[in-house]
Amino acid sequence: MACVSLTPPAAVIILAAGQGTRMKSATPKVLHRIAGRSLLGHVLHSARGISPERVAVVVRHEREAVAAHARELAPAVVIADQDEIPGTGRAVECGLLTLDDAVQSAALADRDERDPLQAVDGGVSGPVVILAGDVPLLDAGTLAALVEAHSADQNAITVLTTILEDPTGYGRVVRDAEGQIAKIVEHRDASPDELAIKEMNSGVYVMDSEVLRSALARVDRNNDQGEVYLTDVMALARSEGRAVRAVVTDDPMLVEGVNDRVQLATLGAELNRRIVIEWMRAGVTVVDPATTWIDGDVRLSPDVALLPGTQLHGATTVATGATIGPDTTLTDVEIGEGATVIRTHGSGSRIGAGATVGPFTYLRPGLNLGERGKLGAFVEVKNSEIGAGSKVPHLSYIGDATIGEESNIGAASVTVNYDGVHKHRTVIGSYARTGADNMFVAPVRVGDGAYTGAGTVVRRDVPAGSLGVTTGNQRNIEGWTASRRPGTPAAEAAARAIEQPLSPQAQAEASRREGTSEPAAGADPGAPVTSE
């Protein structure tokens, strides 16, 4: 959960320069996504939660893509370029130098106009938080506690650590007799005694800016990797008698990083598990947490019910009493109170209070379904306004349309909205009843209280209160099956039926219809055939 630190840090430096070769992907590692955000997006979200004065993202591999994404998420972010010198220490140094330049530039811009020769110097001053760009579960509350401990203990450096039963591959935290950090030893450099240590370095730090700046200027690359190690900064600080302490988290998953697709999936599932639990504790019913996926920016109200197979993505919001699922995927959809959405795939839409959608419904961007509205089975809707109480029950496509209140659209209806160049709009008024198998050739209007007949192709406006029909009289060609489909089961069935004589009443009715060309008794040639 977001939490604002009582002592906001001077800056946050996020390391996002690595190539991430183990991901085996053309996409930079920090741009891979879980729970609706990129890995870098999760880290930026947590960083903003502690209200730093400035945030820098250090980039190198796929620089333009990573920098553009960072600026999209946080327009004020400072982009720092890591040069060819490898190592986390060098990455942090590049970030700090760029931040110092930003501070000096801001000071120049704010310089007193009455004294244009006023000296401007200095840079970042105060605690600097250092984060990896691939640690998505680390939350703002943990960072705030780390910054507070750094300030309260007056540390030069504070390290976030955790205990692992199997810390293979991680740097070990070696403490002195007073409990301070004496050094951090990489796994490959550790002695047998050091390998037995279970406390590991998470790579998350708070460092005093002056201590960091001074130490980075003196760290060398005399190691088997030829890199500038950030952990060497701690050794220099300790050699000067400065306090280097740790804050231990009892939740190792918070500091778990992503190096390959397996870890990406593992952390994605763990983050989703935590999100689902959080919403259940907030009053949301989740019938099957194992098959329910909720992005980090989704917002749910108490007494929402999520049925198995539900996926809620993006900025989806669901109001009190609504039921979603089963087998429903929604992205950036707003669901009103008491609505029901069943076996539906949708995006960029709004569903009004008490409305029902599904099953097997496709909601495309731009739909606004009013209160108590209905979209039934096998209905696709795009860029349309559908008024309160109106229904599109089944087997229809409604695109670029406006439908008023309390209207009913018959089965198998289509708004024919595209002429190959431009989209056109269909307008159907309130309390209208349109027949089954209607084609509305846009632009066209059907007025309030109007009806259309079954099978009608509506090419001209239908005035309010009118009936629009385009059907002709039915013509029967007797003996067609026997002559055109001889020997088929249909022909044989027809022959058997023809051998059975009609009753006197049926013969009289058939003779009358043939003589007058009238439809069957009780039929209305212009009446619509609707469905609900």
Side-chain angles (χ1 to χ4, degrees), residues 29-39 42 69 264 268 295:
K29 178 174 72 171
V30 296
L31 300 191
H32 284 264
R33 303 175 72 85
I34 59 173
R37 298 184 190 134
S38 65
L39 300 180
H42 284 286
H69 182 66
L264 182 72
D295 279 359

Side-chain angles (χ1 to χ4, degrees), residues 395-396 409-414 434-440 453-457 529 531:
L395 302 168
S396 297
I409 308 303
S413 293
V414 175
T434 68
D437 197 25
N438 275 200
M439 302 290 114
F440 299 92
T456 297
V457 179
V529 179
S531 57

Side-chain angles (χ1 to χ4, degrees), residues 58 97 108-109 151 304 341 353 414 443 471 483 510 512 527:
V58 183
L97 290 171
L108 281 170
S151 176
V304 163
V341 182
V414 175
T471 57
S483 63
R512 189 182 68 81

Side-chain angles (χ1 to χ4, degrees), residues 171-203:
R172 306 304 204 276
V173 177
V174 181
R175 293 177 180 258
D176 62 17
E178 296 176 352
Q180 288 200 43
I181 296 178
K183 60 180 178 178
I184 293 177
V185 183
E186 296 302 318
H187 179 90
R188 62 179 171 270
D189 300 324
S191 68
D193 288 342
E194 290 166 342
L195 288 174
I197 297 172
K198 295 184 177 181
E199 185 177 9
M200 53 81 70
N201 174 28
S202 72

